[in-house]
């Protein structure tokens, strides 16, 4: 009975099938970002740092948007999950495919931003945003950069917002603005380089292209023709 009650409470947030898909997404995300590191730690990591990346200023305040991205993802994925099977399944399956693309790059073309980040020691005592940046740098290794998972997830949220119906008109534009701020944050706090943003967007678009051509009628609850 308790399990039924929990399921009923979760279903008030979004349908149970969306919770299943989100669980799969979280597993694939963990596998891609953390599960690849035991295999790639000893491999050569390539730098995609360009002269434009070097010229971009370091703006520690943008770490706010880098961290706030997690709030965007929670809101974005819940709203996609509430959007009905015809929205949720193509978006979530496309996201899984995009994450699979990221996993392949992490393994076969491992990248790094070593030399681009400021030293953690130089950030100490520089104010709240410098301190937060130093903490993030300490927790997050300088690998698994291309494509940017941050940009990938934020772009999924924006693309999903375009497909959702019966929402306030400001929702999709707000998601776009937040996504662009997340994009900017990845390079202005020196967590990523510009090509990583392009890679994140491209991975999503490829994933959505493939998922849009899969036979999802059964998952959508539609009956096939007889």
């Amino acid at each position: 009975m308790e399990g039924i009650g929990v399921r009923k409470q979760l279903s008030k947030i979004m349908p149970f099938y969306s919770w299943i898909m989100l669980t799969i997404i979280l597993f694939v995300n963990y596998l891609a970002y953390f599960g690849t590191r035991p295999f790639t730690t000893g491999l050569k990591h390539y730098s995609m740092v360009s002269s434009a990346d070097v010229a971009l200023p370091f703006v520690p305040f943008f770490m706010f948007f880098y961290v706030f991205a997690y709030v965007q993802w929670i809101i974005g994925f819940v709203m996609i999950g509430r959007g009905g099977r015809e929205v949720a399944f193509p978006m979530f399956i496309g996201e899984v495919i995009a994450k699979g693309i990221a996993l392949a790059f992490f393994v076969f073309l491992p990248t790094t931003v070593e030399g681009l980040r400021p030293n953690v020691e130089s950030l100490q005592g520089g104010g709240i945003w410098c301190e937060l940046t130093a903490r993030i740098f300490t927790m997050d290794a300088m690998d698994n950069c291309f494509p940017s998972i941050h940009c990938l997830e934020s772009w999924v949220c924006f693309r999903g917002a375009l497909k959702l119906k019966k929402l306030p008109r400001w929702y999709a534009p707000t998601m776009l603005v937040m996504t662009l701020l997340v994009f900017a944050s990845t390079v202005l706090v020196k967590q990523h380089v510009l090509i990583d943003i392009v890679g994140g967007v491209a991975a999503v678009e490829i994933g959505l292209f493939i998922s849009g051509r899969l036979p999802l009628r059964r998952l959508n609850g539609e009956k096939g023709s007889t």
Side-chain angles (χ1 to χ4, degrees), residues 123-226:
L123 299 173
Q124 302 298 333
I128 183 174
W129 303 116
C130 284
E131 294 287 348
L132 178 59
T133 302
R135 184 176 295 273
I136 296 296
F137 283 179
T138 301
M139 295 188 299
D140 197 4
M142 292 182 284
D143 59 4
N144 288 353
C145 300
F146 179 88
S148 165
I149 295 295
H150 250 68
C151 297
L152 186 157
E153 303 289 28
S154 290
W155 191 250
V156 168
C157 291
F158 168 63
R159 292 288 272 111
L162 295 178
K163 296 180 178 294
L164 293 170
K165 302 175 182 178
K166 299 180 181 179
L167 287 177
R169 292 184 177 180
W170 53 260
Y171 180 76
T174 300
M175 273 293 169
L176 175 59
V177 170
M178 184 59 204
T179 296
L180 294 177
L181 288 171
V182 171
F183 285 6
S185 74
T186 62
V187 293
L188 293 180
V189 300
K190 306 300 180 178
Q191 281 284 83
H192 287 279
V193 294
L194 292 168
I195 193 65
D196 298 339
I197 300 175
V198 177
V201 172
V204 172
E205 292 302 321
I206 293 171
L208 294 179
F209 177 83
I210 295 173
S211 70
R213 281 150 183 79
L214 295 177
L216 301 179
R217 293 180 65 188
R218 187 179 297 273
L219 291 176
N220 290 340
E222 302 176 17
K223 295 181 179 180
S225 58
T226 58

Side-chain angles (χ1 to χ4, degrees), residues 7-191:
R7 179 168 177 170
K8 185 178 292 186
Q9 291 298 318
L10 291 176
S11 66
K12 291 181 180 179
I13 301 174
M14 61 183 180
F16 192 67
Y17 60 78
S18 291
W19 285 108
I20 295 174
M21 286 300 301
L22 280 181
T23 301
I24 295 172
I25 286 171
L26 288 173
F27 172 76
V28 174
N29 185 77
Y30 181 87
L31 184 65
Y33 199 72
F34 297 103
T36 56
R37 282 180 171 150
F39 303 98
T40 61
T41 299
L43 298 179
K44 178 181 178 180
H45 284 60
Y46 299 89
S47 173
M48 294 186 175
V49 178
S50 68
S51 57
D53 295 303
V54 175
L56 286 173
F58 171 61
V59 187
F61 169 72
F62 268 78
M63 185 55 76
F64 169 81
F65 299 110
Y66 190 85
V67 174
F68 191 77
Y70 291 92
V71 177
Q72 180 199 20
W73 303 340
I74 292 171
I75 296 172
F77 278 91
V78 167
M79 296 307 294
I80 291 170
R82 292 168 61 94
R85 295 172 183 264
E86 68 280 2
V87 172
F89 281 113
M91 290 302 305
F92 286 159
I93 292 173
E95 205 275 352
V96 170
I97 295 171
K99 203 64 64 64
I101 294 172
L103 185 152
F105 273 102
F106 293 166
V107 172
F108 297 108
L109 186 65
T111 56
T112 181
V113 291
E114 188 174 2
L116 186 65
R117 283 181 176 181
N119 294 326
V120 171
E121 294 78 11
S122 67
L123 299 173
Q124 302 298 333
I128 183 174
W129 303 116
C130 284
E131 294 287 348
L132 178 59
T133 302
R135 184 176 295 273
I136 296 296
F137 283 179
T138 301
M139 295 188 299
D140 197 4
M142 292 182 284
D143 59 4
N144 288 353
C145 300
F146 179 88
S148 165
I149 295 295
H150 250 68
C151 297
L152 186 157
E153 303 289 28
S154 290
W155 191 250
V156 168
C157 291
F158 168 63
R159 292 288 272 111
L162 295 178
K163 296 180 178 294
L164 293 170
K165 302 175 182 178
K166 299 180 181 179
L167 287 177
R169 292 184 177 180
W170 53 260
Y171 180 76
T174 300
M175 273 293 169
L176 175 59
V177 170
M178 184 59 204
T179 296
L180 294 177
L181 288 171
V182 171
F183 285 6
S185 74
T186 62
V187 293
L188 293 180
V189 300
K190 306 300 180 178
Q191 281 284 83

